[in-house]
Amino acid sequence: MIAARPRRSALYMPAANARAIEKARDLTCDVVILDLEDAVAPDAKEIARQQAVEAVKAGGFGRREVVIRVNGLDTPWGAEDLAAAAAACPDAILAPKVSSAADVAAYDAGLSGETRLWVMIETCASLFALESIAACGGTSRLDALVIGTNDLAKEMRCRLTVDRAPLVGPLSLSVAAARAHGLAILDGVHNGIADEAGLVRQCEQGAEFGFDGKTLIHPGQIEAANAAFSPAPGEVHWARIIVAAFDSPENAAKGVLRIEGRMVERLHLVEAQRLIAVADAIAAA
């Protein structure tokens, strides 16, 4: 089963901006992604790397997962980024533009300790390798997929609208690949910082697809993501009813129950247990 750690909101913070990193320690996001890649100009790459490493070592992020997004291994900064980030021991390293299982293996080889590997699905090639990429979760540190909608739309030459109609297939298939191999998966960013209504619609769409949460580019987007990807009170209540029913001694050997007029199978029990765990983790934060 996927771990119940909430990942409703994952905020990219440019690691070249020391004030932004400091601010991240007090935000209500579930994940802080210290970015060395897209958000950092070439002449600021080294200072960004240094500040990200120092921030991870200093700690102070509380319950938040701390992830470093490195530059690709095919860039002038990638190898040094991976070595420095791995030595700092964040919760995870986020690898960009992963297009094959071989790419996953290359980043995985550079990690040690408890640090996990997250990879970006943001190339056309990655869409045709989703199965082999996600399957690496069973043989490597791979823990999560992260959709890069901007890069994907650029490669596809499609229009990146709020409803993301051209990307419905890739988004759905990516979620299915993640679930098939027990991985977490985060939705891509919404570019309209001032478009609150569009952000809410995209967060709701992502939750409907089955994403665990959404990557964000501004602190003002956190509240909408946390709301959309938090279990609804009614869902949690029903989940507790399901768990209690199956926990009853007379139902110990049963695979299917009738609960309040609904047919409930043990597969629903597993999802109910996961949902309760997520809700409890959110409540305890």
Side-chain angles (χ1 to χ4, degrees), residues 36-91:
L36 310 184
E37 197 214 14
D38 284 349
V40 180
D43 60 358
K45 296 289 188 183
E46 291 189 11
I47 186 64
R49 180 193 304 139
Q50 177 184 334
Q51 290 185 167
V53 167
E54 290 174 353
V56 171
K57 290 181 177 179
F61 291 91
R63 64 171 181 80
R64 301 161 194 82
E65 278 184 284
V66 182
V67 179
I68 297 179
R69 178 163 72 168
V70 298
N71 286 281
L73 289 175
D74 59 345
T75 71
W77 314 282
E80 288 186 58
D81 282 355
L82 183 59
C89 300
D91 292 299

Side-chain angles (χ1 to χ4, degrees), residues 207-232:
E208 289 171 355
F209 272 121
F211 285 100
D212 294 297
K214 189 168 183 67
T215 48
L216 311 171
I217 56 173
H218 191 275
Q221 298 177 326
I222 295 172
E223 184 178 354
N226 282 351
F229 292 97
S230 292

